[in-house]
Amino acid sequence: MILEPSIDKLQTKINSKYTLVTLAAKRARQIQDTKMHQVETPRAATFVGLALEEILEEKLKVDPDYKMMNE
Protein backbone atom coordinates (compact mmCIF):
# COMPACT_ATOMS: atom_id res chain seq x y z
CA MET A 1 0.00 0.00 0.00
CA ILE A 2 1.45 3.34 -1.07
CA LEU A 3 0.25 6.36 0.84
CA GLU A 4 -0.04 9.63 -1.02
CA PRO A 5 1.04 12.26 -0.40
CA SER A 6 4.22 10.85 1.13
CA ILE A 7 5.47 11.97 4.52
CA ASP A 8 8.74 13.06 2.89
CA LYS A 9 6.94 15.44 0.53
CA LEU A 10 4.75 16.75 3.36
CA GLN A 11 7.74 17.43 5.59
CA THR A 12 9.17 19.76 2.96
CA LYS A 13 6.13 21.98 3.68
CA ILE A 14 5.87 21.47 7.46
CA ASN A 15 8.90 19.98 9.16
CA SER A 16 7.27 18.92 12.44
CA LYS A 17 5.35 15.63 12.31
CA TYR A 18 3.34 16.70 15.36
CA THR A 19 2.29 19.96 13.70
CA LEU A 20 1.54 18.14 10.46
CA VAL A 21 -0.75 15.61 12.17
CA THR A 22 -2.48 18.25 14.28
CA LEU A 23 -3.12 20.54 11.31
CA ALA A 24 -4.36 17.68 9.13
CA ALA A 25 -6.73 16.41 11.83
CA LYS A 26 -8.23 19.84 12.48
CA ARG A 27 -8.63 20.55 8.78
CA ALA A 28 -10.15 17.10 8.15
CA ARG A 29 -12.84 17.87 10.75
CA GLN A 30 -13.56 21.17 9.02
CA ILE A 31 -13.85 19.46 5.63
CA GLN A 32 -16.15 16.83 7.12
CA ASP A 33 -18.40 19.50 8.65
CA THR A 34 -18.51 21.89 5.69
CA LYS A 35 -18.06 19.42 2.79
CA MET A 36 -15.75 22.03 1.22
CA HIS A 37 -12.07 21.64 0.34
CA GLN A 38 -9.47 23.65 -1.56
CA VAL A 39 -8.06 20.93 -3.83
CA GLU A 40 -9.11 21.28 -7.47
CA THR A 41 -8.61 17.64 -8.49
CA PRO A 42 -8.47 15.58 -5.30
CA ARG A 43 -6.99 12.09 -5.35
CA ALA A 44 -7.82 11.25 -1.74
CA ALA A 45 -10.96 9.41 -0.72
CA THR A 46 -10.80 10.49 2.93
CA PHE A 47 -11.05 13.81 4.74
CA VAL A 48 -7.55 13.40 6.18
CA GLY A 49 -6.22 12.68 2.71
CA LEU A 50 -7.86 15.84 1.40
CA ALA A 51 -6.33 17.84 4.24
CA LEU A 52 -2.88 16.41 3.48
CA GLU A 53 -3.30 17.29 -0.20
CA GLU A 54 -4.16 20.87 0.81
CA ILE A 55 -0.97 21.02 2.89
CA LEU A 56 1.12 19.68 0.01
CA GLU A 57 -0.39 22.21 -2.39
CA GLU A 58 0.34 24.93 0.19
CA LYS A 59 -3.34 25.81 0.58
CA LEU A 60 -2.80 25.43 4.35
CA LYS A 61 0.09 26.91 6.27
CA VAL A 62 1.13 27.16 9.90
CA ASP A 63 1.36 30.53 11.58
CA PRO A 64 4.96 30.68 12.90
CA ASP A 65 3.88 33.01 15.73
CA TYR A 66 1.21 30.58 16.99
CA LYS A 67 1.85 29.47 20.57
CA MET A 68 0.37 26.47 22.31
CA MET A 69 -1.67 27.36 25.40
CA ASN A 70 0.75 25.55 27.74
CA GLU A 71 3.83 27.34 26.42
Side-chain angles (χ1 to χ4, degrees), residues 1-2 6 8 10 13-15 21-22 24-25 27-29 31 38-41 47-48 57 63 65 68:
M1 172 186 223
I2 298 174
S6 75
D8 295 329
L10 288 164
K13 308 300 179 188
I14 298 176
N15 62 2
V21 168
T22 304
R27 180 63 183 138
R29 282 188 217 106
I31 294 170
Q38 300 178 43
V39 180
E40 289 193 27
T41 54
F47 299 120
V48 173
E57 292 181 10
D63 181 359
D65 295 328
M68 295 294 288

Side-chain angles (χ1 to χ4, degrees), residues 2-17 20 43 51-58 60:
I2 298 174
L3 299 177
E4 287 292 328
S6 75
I7 188 71
D8 295 329
K9 289 179 185 175
L10 288 164
Q11 284 196 287
T12 63
K13 308 300 179 188
I14 298 176
N15 62 2
S16 166
K17 287 181 185 177
L20 183 62
R43 297 174 60 193
L52 293 173
E53 285 184 30
E54 287 183 353
I55 292 168
L56 190 62
E57 292 181 10
E58 296 184 348
L60 294 179

